[in-house]
Amino acid sequence: MKKPRFAWTLTAVAALAVGTVVVMQSCAPSAGSADMGAIARARGLSDADVVAALKTYQPSGARDEYLTFASGGQSGQVLVIGVPSMRLLKMIAAFTPEPWQGFGYGSEEHKTLLAAGRMAGRDIGWGDSHHPALSETDGDYDGQFLFINDKANPRLAVIDLRDFETKQIVANPNMGTNHGGAFVTPNTEYVIEPSQYSVPLWKDYAEMDRYAEDYRGVVTFWKFDRQKGRLDAAASFSLELPPYWHDLSDAGKGPSFGWAFLNSFNTEMATGGVEQGKPPFEAGASQNDMDYMHVINWQKAAQVATQAGKTRMARGMKVIPMETAVAEGLLYLIPEPKSPHGSDVTPDGRFIVVSGKLDPHVTVYSWEKIKAAIDGKQFTDNDRYGIPILDFASVINGQLEVGLGPLHTQFDDKGNGYTSIFLDTRVTKWRLDPLEVLDQVDVQYNVGHLVAAEGDTKSPDGKYLIAMNKWALDRFNDVGPLLPQNFQLIDISGDKMQVLYDMPIGVGEPHYAQMIKADKLKPFQTYPQIGYDPGTMGPAKNAVLPGKERIERRGNEVHVYMTAVRSHFNPEHIRVRQGDKVTIHITSVEQAHDATHGFAIAKYNINLSLEPGEAQTVSFVADTPGVFPYYCTEFCSALHLEMTGYLLVEPQ
Ligand code: CUK
Ligand code: CUA
């Protein structure tokens, strides 16, 4: 390796090892000092700090090599972060109305989109997003779509990566909550959504003492129609599962293609009741030494789901009952160590790595051995629902002690795994075959998920790993009792892992993320034509071209055909009568990169973002009389403040 050019800083810093703080205060270089050594000394930066800065800093105008799509946690959104700079590029509105993007503030497209995500007859104004999944082709990220789950209100969202906008929300009527999705099969045939806390499946209500009889887990395989860019509920199917609590899933690839692996906990089927002196869930659900990994043949299940008499409908969704799943050989159980959490298939598809929150090991299952046991019908037992159980010892490749509270594993390009160790608050790097711990690095603090560059594909890149830490404690300036999460970028290109950068996430508790090579993404710079509808990703039905602006009255309906361009709306006056239904079709006739306009109407809770070429429709009842300015909310030009108009609502 070439000697770093700035190795001299080590000497400089060593000489100043005592009294760095004093140095900081007494010898601050003059503003504009170009002496790197003096700056590093004055700021108290170690040699390693300077190296980390050089590895992450992006000069103005330089682009990042990777983009990370991180869940936004309770914000219900998705964060887009550049790597290695760890700059936040965008927050994509997914489940939660978001004003900058004008998501859910009057646009008809968003009304329809969000209405599909209604649950229990309610508009849901948030989501608890956990697991984003990039679409894959042949086991590699293809850069076309992103899926994300909402744990709280069992839903999935589909984001089109041509414009980084949410196109669809689907609600799952058969789950209380979901958790272990979204994960995709290697060609995005299906998006996997497993339930977490089981609820009654075949009836709407059952007492807790009927838990084992009436409560059920469910895993839904949502068929993805890539052409339409939509999940197709009619072509999707679910499997009825025992009322264990299901956790993370992953899809097999390579030799394990066609199968999915789904963790569970609370196989004790504890029902809690601490207030009645019963064991609390945390104790009741942790009694057994083993829970069950569910091994599911989704490829065969997809065929079974099309056969007459093999499915039952539950709340409009096609479900394969457990007896059918067992009879058809679709579902098997394998013991897995106490309260497992992560389930991760290795890039070559040969192993499945599971970590138990209450077990200091990673357990590495061998697909070859699992398949042989299934084919040879070598079962030790059935669970109480008749599902065959495989023998733990004969299907594992081994176990490796990695630390206290292992959660999730990612992979690099050299046959290594990286496991987050929650309780020890570090990352353990280990070799898959033969099993051996290679390195450990402390992270701050209590790491949940990890994400590695292209880490879920069949060909990970190595290079970078992000530790998504739950606690920040002393890492940042205090901002009151609610602290941000801490994303730490780790260099994994060498033998020793090095933490390079801390990024605070102040919008929610992200869980998982996926990191894609930036050059795989081919986003639009502007919409491809004037009058483009992001809802259908095609020409808008109600596009308004320059010169065709007008206002039409049909009874008590007023239709406004409007254009937006720097620096005016046309028309600038909209005169209606109180009680009229007003529909504004508005098209941005801009074609210049980044020439965004907004369209907001005061006091009517209406706000749109109009990207170049975009057409949108907004509809409302003008029930409040008065005079309401509308204006452009983006500082688009020198005459941006003049980009305005008046809505006159004449009193009845
Ligand atoms: S979960 Cu949060 S740290 Cu939802 Cu994937 Cu493990
Ligand atoms: Cu358009 Cu400001």
Side-chain angles (χ1 to χ4, degrees):
M1 212 182 112
K2 247 178 39 195
K3 200 173 166 206
R5 272 170 54 210
F6 36 86
W8 48 266
T9 56
L10 191 60
T11 329
V13 170
L16 293 164
V18 184
T20 304
V21 174
V22 178
V23 171
M24 279 181 71
Q25 286 163 354
S26 58
C27 302
S30 61
S33 164
D35 179 338
M36 287 191 288
I39 296 168
R41 280 193 299 278
R43 297 199 63 216
L45 300 179
S46 70
D47 202 51
D49 293 336
V50 175
V51 171
L54 290 173
K55 286 183 177 177
T56 55
Y57 174 71
Q58 291 289 24
S60 181
R63 295 185 180 202
D64 282 301
E65 186 182 1
Y66 291 92
L67 290 192
T68 290
F69 292 87
S71 84
Q74 301 91 333
S75 76
Q77 317 292 47
V78 173
L79 307 173
V80 188
I81 299 163
V83 175
S85 74
M86 301 303 277
R87 293 177 295 191
L88 176 65
L89 300 176
K90 192 170 206 173
M91 183 161 93
I92 305 173
F95 295 109
T96 307
E98 200 285 326
W100 169 50
Q101 292 152 78
F103 183 72
Y105 294 92
S107 126
E108 289 300 298
E109 175 203 344
H110 299 147
K111 272 185 208 162
T112 313
L113 181 66
L114 289 165
R118 285 169 61 88
M119 300 219 89
R122 263 185 204 87
D123 288 329
I124 305 285
W126 75 296
D128 184 12
S129 59
H130 279 230
H131 303 112
L134 288 158
S135 58
E136 294 181 14
T137 300
D138 191 24
D140 265 320
Y141 302 148
D142 55 38
Q144 293 184 0
F145 294 94
L146 183 83
F147 308 92
I148 182 129
N149 75 316
D150 168 11
K151 169 169 167 167
N153 320 288
R155 302 183 293 177
L156 295 180
V158 181
I159 294 164
D160 192 318
L161 294 177
R162 281 175 292 177
D163 64 354
F164 284 48
E165 285 194 4
T166 298
K167 302 299 170 184
Q168 184 186 24
I169 294 175
V170 292
N172 199 315
N174 290 323
M175 297 180 180
T177 57
N178 73 25
H179 185 235
F183 288 91
V184 301
T185 57
N187 294 298
T188 324
E189 294 92 343
Y190 291 93
V191 182
I192 309 174
E193 183 197 18
S195 61
Q196 185 149 71
Y197 305 117
S198 297
V199 295
L201 174 62
W202 303 112
K203 49 174 78 165
D204 286 333
Y205 184 81
E207 291 291 341
M208 298 287 317
D209 60 8
R210 296 277 306 164
Y211 189 83
E213 293 80 11
D214 291 333
Y215 287 56
R216 289 292 179 266
V218 170
V219 58
T220 299
F221 290 82
W222 289 93
K223 181 76 191 157
F224 184 57
D225 183 334
R226 200 186 278 266
Q227 223 51 49
K228 294 199 176 109
R230 296 289 188 277
L231 298 169
D232 179 356
S236 304
F237 65 91
S238 305
L239 264 72
E240 177 190 17
L241 299 177
Y244 312 144
W245 291 347
H246 296 92
D247 214 28
L248 291 189
S249 64
D250 203 358
K253 46 170 102 69
S256 53
F257 178 86
W259 294 76
F261 307 94
L262 169 55
N263 282 337
S264 66
F265 60 112
N266 195 19
T267 51
E268 297 85 350
M269 297 191 281
T271 52
V274 68
E275 71 289 347
Q276 298 153 35
K278 296 183 183 160
F281 280 119
E282 58 177 324
S286 310
Q287 290 164 48
N288 297 349
D289 280 338
M290 294 289 201
D291 290 291
Y292 295 126
M293 175 158 76
H294 296 46
V295 180
I296 298 166
N297 187 340
W298 64 258
Q299 221 176 2
K300 186 163 179 210
Q303 293 164 10
V304 169
T306 62
Q307 294 164 15
K310 298 276 170 76
T311 55
R312 273 176 76 181
M313 295 303 279
R315 304 180 184 100
M317 304 270 294
K318 204 186 262 186
V319 180
I320 302 176
M322 276 193 290
E323 314 85 74
T324 310
V326 170
E328 297 283 341
L330 309 178
L331 177 61
Y332 302 90
L333 301 175
I334 310 180
E336 54 184 358
K338 251 185 152 83
S339 299
H341 189 47
S343 148
D344 298 285
V345 175
T346 55
D348 60 9
R350 290 171 58 217
F351 303 109
I352 302 105
V353 177
V354 167
S355 1
K357 305 185 288 279
L358 302 178
D359 177 277
H361 299 91
V362 285
T363 301
V364 182
Y365 294 84
S366 154
W367 171 247
E368 204 181 324
K369 293 179 184 177
I370 294 172
K371 189 70 179 29
I374 290 174
D375 290 345
K377 299 203 184 324
Q378 290 156 20
F379 309 127
T380 55
D381 203 357
N382 295 330
D383 78 343
R384 74 174 271 171
Y385 301 97
I387 306 168
I389 302 172
L390 280 64
D391 176 42
F392 174 74
S394 64
V395 298
I396 65 168
N397 202 47
Q399 289 185 292
L400 179 70
E401 187 163 340
V402 289
L404 288 181
L407 296 184
H408 299 286
T409 298
Q410 287 277 286
F411 305 99
D412 68 9
D413 54 336
K414 303 184 187 79
N416 301 315
Y418 299 79
T419 301
S420 53
I421 314 291
F422 180 80
L423 294 175
D424 284 343
T425 180
R426 65 186 178 206
V427 175
T428 298
K429 173 183 178 180
W430 52 281
R431 190 171 46 224
L432 272 158
D433 207 10
L435 288 170
E436 189 192 353
V437 169
L438 300 176
D439 187 28
Q440 298 194 311
V441 69
D442 289 333
V443 291
Q444 289 74 30
Y445 299 94
N446 295 344
V447 55
H449 273 275
L450 300 170
V451 58
E454 302 258 324
D456 270 333
T457 68
K458 65 172 188 191
S459 56
D461 286 2
K463 293 189 186 178
Y464 298 111
L465 184 76
I466 297 172
M468 306 169 74
N469 302 302
K470 302 294 178 193
W471 292 47
L473 291 179
D474 54 3
R475 293 292 105 172
F476 306 111
N477 299 65
D478 277 324
V479 288
L482 177 62
L483 272 55
Q485 281 219 324
N486 184 16
F487 276 20
Q488 284 180 306
L489 180 69
I490 301 173
D491 181 352
I492 56 168
S493 57
D495 290 340
K496 299 292 288 176
M497 294 179 278
Q498 186 198 357
V499 174
L500 298 178
Y501 194 82
D502 283 23
M503 177 196 189
I505 303 288
V507 299
E509 184 204 335
H511 291 255
Y512 189 41
Q514 295 212 310
M515 197 193 303
I516 182 174
K517 196 89 189 322
D519 60 17
K520 284 186 174 178
L521 297 160
K522 302 278 182 275
F524 291 156
Q525 290 203 327
T526 62
Y527 282 109
Q529 67 183 88
I530 288 177
Y532 200 79
D533 176 0
T536 59
M537 288 300 240
K541 228 176 38 232
N542 291 307
V544 185
L545 295 177
K548 304 282 183 201
E549 298 91 345
R550 63 202 183 274
I551 299 177
E552 290 173 2
R553 173 175 283 283
R554 299 171 206 154
N556 64 347
E557 287 186 14
V558 177
H559 289 259
V560 181
Y561 296 86
M562 181 184 275
T563 56
V565 72
R566 278 163 290 170
S567 300
H568 60 269
F569 296 110
N570 183 2
E572 290 183 335
H573 300 161
I574 302 172
R575 181 188 292 276
V576 301
R577 291 190 287 266
Q578 183 182 2
D580 280 345
K581 187 177 174 217
V582 182
T583 303
I584 304 174
H585 306 288
I586 177 167
T587 298
S588 164
V589 300
E590 295 282 356
Q591 288 182 291
H593 194 194
D594 205 12
T596 292
H597 298 288
F599 176 74
I601 304 179
K603 303 179 189 175
Y604 266 89
N605 199 35
I606 284 166
N607 178 38
L608 308 178
S609 176
L610 296 161
E611 278 67 75
E614 181 168 1
Q616 284 198 49
T617 295
V618 57
S619 225
F620 60 97
V621 176
D623 44 14
T624 310
V627 175
F628 304 90
Y630 53 87
Y631 73 101
C632 168
T633 57
E634 282 271 337
F635 207 109
C636 52
S637 65
L639 295 175
H640 149 77
L641 293 175
E642 287 76 4
M643 191 165 174
T644 189
Y646 284 97
L647 168 69
L648 299 125
V649 183
E650 216 182 305
Q652 278 292 21

